[in-house]
Amino acid sequence: MEQGIIINRNTKAIRDSLKNAGIQPSASRMAIASFVWNTDSHPTAEEVKIEVEKAFPTVSLATVYNTLNLFVEKGLLKEVQDSNQRSVRYDCNTTPHFHFIDEATGQMMDLDPEVLRISPDLSKLGAEFKIREIEVTLRGRKMGTPQDKVKQK
Amino acid sequence: MEQGIIINRNTKAIRDSLKNAGIQPSASRMAIASFVWNTDSHPTAEEVKIEVEKAFPTVSLATVYNTLNLFVEKGLLKEVQDSNQRSVRYDCNTTPHFHFIDEATGQMMDLDPEVLRISPDLSKLGAEFKIREIEVTLRGRKMGTPQDKVKQK
DNA sequence: AACTATACTAGAATAATTCTAATTAATCTT
DNA sequence: AAGATTAATTAGAATTATTCTAGTATAGTT
Ligand SMILES: [Mn+2]
Ligand SMILES: [Mn+2]
Ligand SMILES: [Zn+2]
Ligand SMILES: [Zn+2]
């Protein structure tokens, strides 16, 4: 029953991804990418900063935001809304998928796109609606076994 | 092809709705309710303030927020996220429905729940996910005829 | 009218994000 | 390699949405 996807790229793969997107793989960008591409926790900018500081103590918050925004622009990350509706979270899973938010913990989990079938009824929607993206979030509780908390590589 | 729902309650209906929810229908609450329950524009708090000030010039921003939060608490309004992901919008349509956001104008439109069929595949989702709410937003362009802009009562 | 509870207000505080202007680092040209 | 140019990073100020505070006004109750 594994919904989450952890990208887990190594240093070389990360460097190549950045170069590929036309981004110079500077040290701070590498540090930020290494963190966001190896977690499925949908971190906030502040959480990214806290983690990245461990490896790279001089990184500034402005650089964290600049870098995350750059990654979003280049399609390497997606922005998603935190459930408090106040801050942004960053999602390294840029493939179409859905989210489940546990309302007790606030934790945002990826859902495999196969768990939901979504069919727009064009006859009712009207052809004048040009859809670019469908965003779906489920909210509720996940009654998980403790093992569910364990991250696997 | 009408997706939007305009509640359009008159003064007496609004007063009754407030009383019904256990809210004292003070003058400022009436003014705020009269606006938010007669628009399908999904206004922000700032937009609510600007409108309400016309009828009620001394209303404070704190009262606008207090009142909107109170209405949300009592289930009279729903909060939805603005597409800039920075501010909250208020939706007088508390029945299950979906949203379409025109990415050129930022306009948020209601979609009738019949335009989308959503089926969770419980066998894949897992019974431990207790779903309370499914939130769906479509983004794209609406290539409307000019008449589409006209509000009908 | 006095008392109490509720509602309202102006302005301060908070917090997420962006902006500014200066500094550093990397890349390019000669 | 030196100098010139461009790109990246920084600290801190600015912006903005929202909440908080503490005082004032209003409404309901005896
Ligand atoms: Mn952004
Ligand atoms: Mn709220
Ligand atoms: Zn995700
Ligand atoms: Zn709506």
Side-chain angles (χ1 to χ4, degrees):
Chain A
M1 201 61 62
E2 216 19 86
Q3 312 284 351
I5 294 171
I6 302 190
I7 306 281
N8 214 339
R9 311 192 204 193
N10 61 24
T11 302
K12 173 160 185 333
I14 290 169
R15 192 180 308 276
D16 289 347
S17 301
L18 294 188
K19 280 189 197 152
N20 233 33
I23 297 172
Q24 286 191 198
S26 68
S28 57
R29 286 168 178 169
M30 284 295 293
I32 292 169
S34 300
F35 172 58
V36 297
W37 280 338
N38 286 291
T39 182
D40 62 357
S41 68
H42 303 83
T44 63
E46 198 55 44
E47 287 163 0
V48 172
K49 174 142 196 283
I50 288 168
E51 268 311 307
V52 168
E53 266 172 343
K54 292 177 185 167
F56 204 104
T58 66
V59 77
S60 73
L61 186 56
T63 294
V64 172
Y65 274 106
N66 288 343
T67 303
L68 293 171
N69 282 335
L70 178 64
F71 288 0
V72 169
E73 242 172 67
K74 300 296 188 183
L76 301 177
L77 284 182
K78 274 205 301 191
E79 287 185 340
V80 294
Q81 198 58 27
D82 184 83
S83 37
N84 69 10
Q85 294 198 317
R86 292 281 207 94
S87 46
V88 169
R89 294 184 169 275
Y90 294 89
D91 191 342
C92 67
N93 183 354
T94 58
T95 67
H97 68 283
F98 308 130
H99 287 124
F100 184 86
I101 294 174
D102 187 316
E103 292 184 308
T105 65
Q107 197 186 8
M108 175 181 290
M109 291 163 258
D110 284 345
L111 292 184
D112 200 282
E114 278 151 37
V115 305
L116 284 187
R117 193 114 356 106
I118 300 189
S119 352
D121 182 340
L122 265 300
S123 71
K124 296 202 169 148
L125 184 58
E128 71 271 29
F129 289 90
K130 313 285 185 209
I131 302 171
R132 186 184 60 80
E133 174 185 63
I134 298 183
E135 182 189 313
V136 179
T137 306
L138 293 77
R139 284 166 218 276
R141 288 299 326 275
K142 186 179 183 205
M143 308 314 194
T145 56
Q147 300 90 286
D148 285 1
K149 305 283 164 192
V150 178
K151 291 259 162 69
Q152 78 297 335
K153 85 151 214 90
Chain B
M1 202 63 61
E2 214 20 84
Q3 313 283 351
I5 294 172
I6 302 190
I7 306 283
N8 214 340
R9 311 193 204 195
N10 60 25
T11 302
K12 172 159 185 336
I14 290 169
R15 192 178 310 276
D16 290 348
S17 301
L18 293 189
K19 281 189 199 152
N20 233 35
I23 298 172
Q24 289 192 195
S26 69
S28 58
R29 286 167 177 169
M30 285 294 294
I32 292 169
S34 301
F35 172 58
V36 296
W37 281 340
N38 286 290
T39 182
D40 62 356
S41 68
H42 304 83
T44 62
E46 198 56 42
E47 287 164 0
V48 172
K49 172 139 197 287
I50 287 168
E51 268 311 307
V52 168
E53 265 172 343
K54 292 178 185 166
F56 204 104
T58 66
V59 76
S60 74
L61 186 56
T63 294
V64 170
Y65 273 106
N66 288 343
T67 303
L68 292 172
N69 282 335
L70 179 64
F71 289 1
V72 169
E73 244 172 64
K74 300 296 185 179
L76 302 176
L77 282 182
K78 275 204 302 193
E79 288 186 339
V80 294
Q81 197 61 25
D82 186 83
S83 36
N84 69 12
Q85 293 196 316
R86 292 279 208 96
S87 45
V88 170
R89 292 184 171 274
Y90 295 89
D91 193 342
C92 66
N93 183 356
T94 59
T95 67
H97 68 283
F98 308 130
H99 286 125
F100 184 87
I101 293 173
D102 186 317
E103 291 183 308
T105 66
Q107 197 187 9
M108 176 181 288
M109 291 162 260
D110 284 347
L111 291 184
D112 200 285
E114 279 152 35
V115 306
L116 283 188
R117 194 117 353 107
I118 301 191
S119 355
D121 183 339
L122 265 301
S123 73
K124 296 203 169 149
L125 184 58
E128 71 270 29
F129 290 89
K130 314 284 185 209
I131 302 173
R132 187 185 59 78
E133 174 186 64
I134 300 184
E135 181 191 316
V136 179
T137 305
L138 294 77
R139 283 166 218 275
R141 287 302 323 275
K142 186 179 182 207
M143 309 313 196
T145 56
Q147 299 92 286
D148 285 0
K149 304 283 166 192
V150 179
K151 293 260 162 64
Q152 77 299 334
K153 86 159 214 80

